[in-house]
């Protein structure tokens, strides 16, 4: 029942702060696109998509902080958009690492997402995955990112489904974060060996930045698991303990924004900073190109 009188709560204030924070990232990305500093067909477009979702989520957070349960639809939208934001952020981190591979590795190829097909039709690939999944996994089983996308979709669905599957979904996200760490560390080790061969010793700053980005991601991941497994009284789905008539309690607001929203914003901001560390990177390769020889077709790096 509507109360007819609403006030600007601390929850609304917290949501507004991060709304402004994400709006700043969105504005810079838009400026970079308009001035052609970055291209639409780049890793930044996925980051822009993530930021757009988070802006919508924070807008719902502001509305929920003001109107409380007078508008239940806003609360549900806040929960769903929050889950989608975390999902796209993890994908962003993987995409930025893959992009570094494609720009800096001698082969111009990422071992996370190999492109060694004779005629790669991205539209056809997407349609096959959407229409034939999970059968499409077998077709692209050698592409590691297909597996990552698949398990993250399952995890995201589990989280959105509700409290019963929340722990399973959050655990999958946490596992994917540890796989990301392994991938970053492996890339750093290989890059360091390459530098030692050339007589150099400075690791690429983008790799260091990606490693730093992993820490807020893992904080967010651990918090998600603890919410669903250990700290049941802090989960989003326990209304009696964590909510008041006007929305979230002050204690729950502080914990949710410090351990949930803040790490995600930091990770997004750090990924954006890779623009400065990658300015001098070589151009991105087009992947292996099919070359015709007398012995038969073979692949050469572009």
């Amino acid at each position: 029942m509507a109360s007819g009188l609403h006030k600007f709560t601390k929850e609304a204030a917290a949501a507004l702060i991060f709304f402004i924070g994400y709006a700043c990232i969105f504005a810079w990305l838009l400026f970079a696109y308009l001035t052609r500093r970055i291209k639409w067909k780049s890793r930044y477009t996925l980051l822009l998509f993530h930021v757009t979702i988070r802006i919508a989520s924070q807008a719902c957070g502001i509305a929920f902080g003001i109107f409380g349960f007078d508008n239940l639809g806003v609360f549900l939208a806040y929960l769903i958009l929050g889950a989608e934001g975390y999902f796209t952020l993890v994908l962003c981190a993987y995409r930025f690492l893959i992009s570094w591979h494609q720009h800096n590795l001698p082969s111009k190829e990422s071992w996370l997402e190999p492109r060694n097909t004779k005629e790669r039709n991205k539209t056809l690939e997407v349609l096959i995955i959407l229409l034939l999944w999970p059968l499409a996994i077998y077709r692209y089983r050698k592409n590691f990112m297909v597996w990552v996308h698949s398990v993250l979709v399952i995890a995201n669905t589990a989280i959105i489904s509700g409290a019963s599957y929340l722990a399973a979904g959050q655990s999958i996200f946490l596992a994917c974060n540890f796989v990301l760490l392994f991938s970053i560390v492996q890339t750093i080790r290989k890059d360091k060996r390459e530098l030692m061969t050339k007589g150099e010793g400075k690791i690429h700053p983008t790799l260091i930045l990606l490693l730093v980005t992993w820490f807020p991601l893992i904080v967010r991941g651990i918090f998600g698991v603890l919410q669903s497994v250990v700290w049941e009284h802090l989960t989003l789905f326990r209304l009696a303990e964590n909510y008041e008539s006007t929305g979230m309690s002050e204690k729950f607001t502080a914990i949710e924004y410090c351990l949930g929203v803040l790490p995600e914003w930091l990770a997004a901001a750090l990924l954006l900073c890779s623009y400065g560390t990658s300015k001098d990177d070589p151009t991105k390769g087009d992947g292996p190109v099919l070359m015709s020889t007398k012995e038969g077709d073979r692949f050469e790096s572009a």
Side-chain angles (χ1 to χ4, degrees):
M1 182 176 179
S3 63
L5 182 63
H6 305 287
K7 63 179 182 179
F8 195 81
T9 63
K10 291 183 179 180
E11 178 195 350
L16 177 60
I17 290 172
F18 285 97
F19 178 89
I20 295 172
Y22 278 110
C24 290
I25 297 177
F26 182 88
W28 191 95
L29 285 170
L30 191 61
F31 168 78
Y33 282 122
L34 294 176
T35 56
R36 298 184 178 180
R37 285 174 167 80
I38 57 178
K39 299 178 180 179
W40 285 104
K41 290 184 177 181
S42 69
R43 61 190 182 275
Y44 296 103
T45 299
L46 183 56
L47 181 61
L48 178 68
F49 181 61
H50 161 74
V51 170
T52 302
I53 292 176
R54 288 304 309 177
I55 287 176
S57 176
Q58 294 311 121
C60 291
I62 295 172
F64 180 62
I66 295 175
F67 298 103
F69 290 100
D70 287 349
N71 191 331
L72 189 59
V74 170
F75 173 65
L76 295 176
Y78 173 75
L79 294 180
I80 294 173
L81 288 171
E84 296 301 324
Y86 183 35
F87 169 64
T88 54
L89 181 60
V90 175
L91 287 180
C92 277
Y94 275 100
R95 179 54 50 193
F96 274 62
L97 180 59
I98 291 170
S99 179
W100 187 92
H101 289 165
Q102 294 172 345
H103 278 88
N104 294 278
L105 292 183
S107 63
K108 301 294 183 180
E109 186 80 0
S110 174
W111 38 271
L112 286 173
E113 191 177 65
R115 298 175 293 175
N116 57 344
T117 53
K118 294 183 179 181
E119 294 181 2
R120 190 167 185 253
N121 189 321
K122 292 185 178 180
T123 304
L124 179 61
E125 287 181 7
V126 172
L127 288 176
I128 290 175
I129 292 174
L130 290 177
L131 297 177
L132 300 180
W133 189 89
L135 296 177
I137 294 179
Y138 178 78
R139 175 181 173 87
Y140 299 106
R141 61 189 181 278
K142 294 182 179 180
N143 189 324
F144 180 75
M145 285 306 298
V146 170
W147 292 96
V148 172
H149 278 266
S150 299
V151 297
L152 286 178
V153 167
I154 294 173
N156 189 55
T157 303
I159 292 174
I160 293 177
S161 298
S164 300
Y165 304 97
L166 185 61
Q170 294 288 3
S171 298
I172 293 174
F173 271 106
L174 184 63
C176 287
N177 277 325
F178 279 109
V179 173
L180 174 64
L181 174 64
F182 174 79
S183 302
I184 295 172
V185 171
Q186 281 293 97
T187 302
I188 291 175
R189 291 178 61 185
K190 291 180 180 180
D191 185 52
K192 190 174 181 179
R193 285 199 296 266
E194 183 71 21
L195 290 171
M196 290 177 65
T197 302
K198 296 179 180 179
E200 303 175 1
K202 188 177 181 180
I203 300 174
H204 197 289
T206 298
L207 294 179
I208 302 299
L209 192 62
L210 288 174
L211 184 61
V212 174
T213 302
W214 180 82
F215 286 97
L217 280 176
I218 202 63
V219 169
R220 172 64 179 87
I222 293 174
F223 173 63
V225 173
L226 290 177
Q227 270 192 313
S228 57
V229 178
V230 182
W231 292 348
E232 292 185 356
H233 60 289
L234 296 181
T235 182
L236 287 164
F237 296 95
R238 295 181 68 89
L239 300 183
E241 292 86 349
N242 302 325
Y243 296 90
E244 301 170 348
S245 60
T246 56
M248 292 183 184
S249 66
E250 291 186 7
K251 177 182 177 181
F252 185 54
T253 297
I255 294 174
E256 176 68 20
Y257 275 87
C258 289
L259 296 179
V261 181
L262 177 59
E264 287 191 29
W265 184 86
L266 287 175
L270 287 168
L271 289 176
L272 182 64
C273 290
S274 68
Y275 171 80
T277 61
S278 60
K279 280 185 175 182
D280 298 326
D281 283 0
T283 56
K284 185 176 181 179
D286 295 324
V289 178
L290 184 66
M291 304 295 291
S292 179
T293 64
K294 293 181 180 180
E295 293 80 8
D297 293 337
R298 64 184 178 89
F299 289 102
E300 294 283 354
S301 294

